Amino acid sequence: MKRALPILLLAPLCLSASAQERRSGFENMARDTQAMQTDDTANPGMLWVLEGQSLWHQPAGPAAQSCASCHQNTEVSMRGVAARYPAWDEASAAPIDLAGRIAQCRETRQGAPPLARESQGLLSLSAYVGNQSRGLPIAPPADPRMDAAREQGRALYTARRGQLDLSCAQCHDDNAGRRLAGSTIPQAHPTGYPLYRLEWQTLGSLQRRLRGCMTGVRAEPFAYGASEYVAIEAFLASRAQGMALETPAVRP
Amino acid sequence: MARVLINIPAAARRGEIIPIRTLIQHTMETGYRPGADGEVLPRDIIRRFTCTYDGEEVFSAEFSPAIAANPFLSFTLVTTNSGPVVLRWEGDNGFAQTETREITVA
Amino acid sequence: MITTRRLLLAAPAVLLLPQASRASPEAMTEAVQAFTRGATVRSGRVAMDISPLVENGNTVPLSVIVDSPMTAENYVRAIAVFNQRNPQPHVITVRLSPRAGRAILATNIRLATSQVLLAVAELSDGSFWSDSTQVVVTLAACVEG
């Protein structure tokens, strides 16, 4: 027992986040916004889930196969999938996030025209697949090949950037729970993506959220799909390990 | 066709007041907002919603640009006979969509 | 510590307008009079529910309930909602038949800024009733430019 302890302490990548009580951004929200998320008949994100469900069953590509042709029984085959992304991608020998995996499967296996990052099609499919894991704990793969990306993600998270010279950690670890303009600074847990953000008036990905936080400190954001984003996503997932997925969440 | 999410009980007792909740995918462009090029984007909103049931318009709504994107509406109706509940949204640029849901009244 | 001033990065882009094209208390009064055709509006019978402190003005849940039996003889014909400081004073008007069963409406609205909202109901006897409320809209942080 005594010998296991140091290993347990080393395992989580972000000690500060596991040291304080972890809270989903959901808990910071006003009662009305929470109600919008938890009621599927009022959650606008469900429109994208519905769209994703219809895309999932739509034949495409040379063999006119739908996602459902290969992934039968979606509720079972896709359950828990979103919870373990980003994951290692054998084909590119690099980490890949869920949207990347979906786009890849569509292009290479289904042979259908590619879906761009942040396109309605990719967001809808991501929302539909993500929704199959709602309520499940975030479970980053133990795969050691992911470690380098998680380390890189942590480094990006703690590096100061932009004209305001602020790191993610300065807001989301040091000042989480404090107010910034009208918003409560959340702990930056990626529990609800893709999600419906009231500010966007539409559904958006975690990468879009990260872009917003970068331009917010007047830093140059990375391009959609950049390996840096996937690294940050992998780090955030390890930091939020065990927290429940809410896809599609609602955020202010 | 815009995606819609409609929540109506499939069955109810005669005379029961049932809730209806609807969400429809639409940007509800206000006509006041500048686009990426700085030019104001032209207004593109849903202007009118109607709910017709058992030969009568039971509920209707006129929207201004102050209705949020992906309009949500919730209201009620009293069940009379089994039949279709017809929901219709109409708006700028010829937007028109009709959705029908059958309700069984016992 | 972060200073809020430095981090007030951008105002919400939606509905941002030159002051002149905003609605005003006068414009709202005019819009209400068009709805009531000049009839007197009494306060009461109408209950508007909206959070007094709004996180994001882009999507604000709002509901209105009017106390009415909703019978063929005594029902609410219409409910309209107005505001003072969006570009237009009108938000929504709904028309009801007694077969709606209840005089109730819920929707999500946009609020450009903190302001007063007014809900007016027209009853089948031709009388008009209202409820009004003050809403504070906070500014969003880290808004995309």
Side-chain angles (χ1 to χ4, degrees):
Chain A
M1 202 55 222
K2 260 199 179 132
R3 283 178 60 201
L5 204 59
I7 298 165
L8 279 176
L9 282 174
L10 282 175
L13 272 150
C14 180
L15 295 171
S16 54
S18 52
Q20 49 177 287
E21 176 125 20
R22 291 181 309 172
R23 290 161 60 91
S24 160
F26 177 86
E27 295 177 53
N28 297 334
M29 302 197 306
R31 195 175 40 88
D32 274 1
T33 321
Q34 290 185 342
M36 201 185 293
Q37 173 175 323
T38 51
D39 179 352
D40 278 351
T41 67
N43 182 338
M46 290 309 289
L47 289 167
W48 278 261
V49 172
L50 205 64
E51 176 77 34
Q53 181 178 34
S54 113
L55 279 175
W56 182 266
H57 292 281
Q58 218 171 75
Q65 280 178 312
S66 71
C67 314
S69 317
C70 292
H71 302 286
Q72 281 135 8
N73 220 340
T74 322
E75 286 77 13
V76 179
S77 64
M78 286 295 132
R79 187 171 156 81
V81 170
R84 54 172 192 267
Y85 274 79
W88 188 255
D89 175 35
E90 301 284 352
S92 61
I96 194 167
D97 64 5
L98 182 64
R101 171 71 81 210
I102 289 172
Q104 178 195 55
C105 209
R106 177 175 158 96
E107 232 182 307
T108 63
R109 294 204 173 95
Q110 196 178 26
L115 289 172
R117 287 266 168 183
E118 231 52 28
S119 64
Q120 291 304 306
L122 190 51
L123 284 172
S124 302
L125 281 169
S126 306
Y128 178 61
V129 172
N131 188 236
Q132 309 305 319
S133 297
R134 186 152 67 168
L136 295 181
I138 292 176
D143 194 336
R145 292 172 298 179
M146 290 295 295
D147 288 348
R150 289 189 273 247
E151 266 316 317
Q152 184 197 1
R154 185 230 287 273
L156 287 163
Y157 184 83
T158 46
R160 288 169 171 262
R161 60 163 51 79
Q163 283 176 30
L164 299 189
D165 197 32
L166 284 167
S167 72
C168 319
Q170 279 175 289
C171 279
H172 291 297
D173 292 347
D174 304 346
N175 285 288
R178 293 226 176 87
R179 287 187 86 76
L180 174 60
S183 327
T184 303
I185 301 178
Q187 292 175 0
H189 294 302
T191 43
Y193 291 86
L195 57 73
Y196 191 90
R197 191 168 175 221
L198 305 185
E199 180 56 34
W200 296 332
Q201 308 189 63
T202 189
L203 195 90
S205 69
L206 177 54
Q207 292 200 5
R208 181 171 181 186
R209 174 68 260 194
L210 300 182
R211 259 180 101 82
C213 275
M214 291 194 180
T215 54
V217 295
R218 305 212 184 101
E220 187 61 41
F222 304 113
Y224 276 118
S227 61
E228 287 90 345
Y229 278 142
V230 179
I232 297 177
E233 289 178 90
F235 168 67
L236 292 179
S238 69
R239 200 170 154 265
Q241 175 159 9
M243 295 178 77
L245 272 181
E246 301 161 33
T247 310
V250 174
R251 292 289 182 271
Chain B
M1 283 273 284
R3 240 350 112 190
V4 293
L5 237 160
I6 298 169
N7 218 268
I8 300 181
R13 288 187 320 275
R14 192 179 312 274
E16 194 176 336
I17 299 175
I18 58 164
I20 297 182
R21 293 159 82 76
T22 66
L23 265 173
I24 184 164
Q25 210 165 30
H26 196 288
T27 55
M28 293 295 282
E29 193 56 59
T30 59
Y32 298 103
R33 202 172 65 123
D37 59 1
E39 293 286 310
V40 169
L41 298 166
R43 191 187 85 171
D44 182 9
I45 65 167
I46 295 176
R47 290 192 309 262
R48 192 169 153 73
F49 168 85
T50 55
C51 171
T52 312
Y53 166 60
D54 199 7
E56 196 185 313
E57 196 171 284
V58 178
F59 178 97
S60 71
E62 307 283 338
F63 292 172
S64 278
I67 293 301
N70 306 304
F72 168 74
L73 263 185
S74 158
F75 55 95
T76 56
L77 61 73
V78 185
T79 58
T80 46
N81 290 300
S82 294
V85 177
V86 182
L87 306 172
R88 185 169 167 83
W89 292 260
E90 286 167 59
D92 297 336
N93 302 311
F95 184 93
Q97 186 155 336
T98 305
E99 297 283 333
T100 303
R101 297 290 183 273
E102 293 294 327
I103 180 164
T104 306
V105 176
Chain C
M1 251 312 282
I2 296 172
T3 65
T4 308
R5 277 268 292 297
R6 222 174 132 215
L7 288 168
L8 261 180
L9 305 168
V14 181
L15 298 174
L16 252 195
L17 265 194
Q19 207 56 34
S21 47
R22 285 264 162 92
S24 60
E26 297 73 44
M28 182 170 97
T29 307
E30 235 172 76
V32 173
Q33 276 173 356
F35 175 68
T36 61
R37 298 174 300 280
T40 326
V41 180
R42 277 171 284 180
S43 113
R45 292 209 186 178
V46 180
M48 177 163 43
D49 186 23
I50 186 166
S51 168
L53 188 71
V54 167
E55 284 183 302
N56 189 299
N58 284 341
T59 306
V60 188
L62 163 88
S63 70
V64 183
I65 301 179
V66 188
D67 178 19
S68 164
M70 293 304 274
T71 58
E73 300 74 39
N74 184 358
Y75 67 98
V76 175
R77 264 194 215 135
I79 304 169
V81 180
F82 304 92
N83 77 91
Q84 279 185 348
R85 302 231 166 263
N86 280 1
Q88 288 178 18
H90 179 253
V91 177
I92 187 171
T93 301
V94 303
R95 299 196 182 275
L96 306 156
S97 111
R99 281 180 40 205
R102 293 176 73 196
I104 183 166
L105 148 77
T107 187
N108 294 330
I109 69 168
R110 289 173 165 142
L111 291 173
T113 181
S114 301
Q115 54 180 305
V116 170
L117 281 175
L118 179 73
V120 183
E122 177 185 1
L123 272 51
S124 52
D125 66 3
S127 64
F128 287 87
W129 299 84
S130 74
D131 185 22
S132 77
T133 186
Q134 169 78 44
V135 182
V136 173
V137 180
T138 59
L139 278 183
C142 296
V143 172
E144 287 168 12

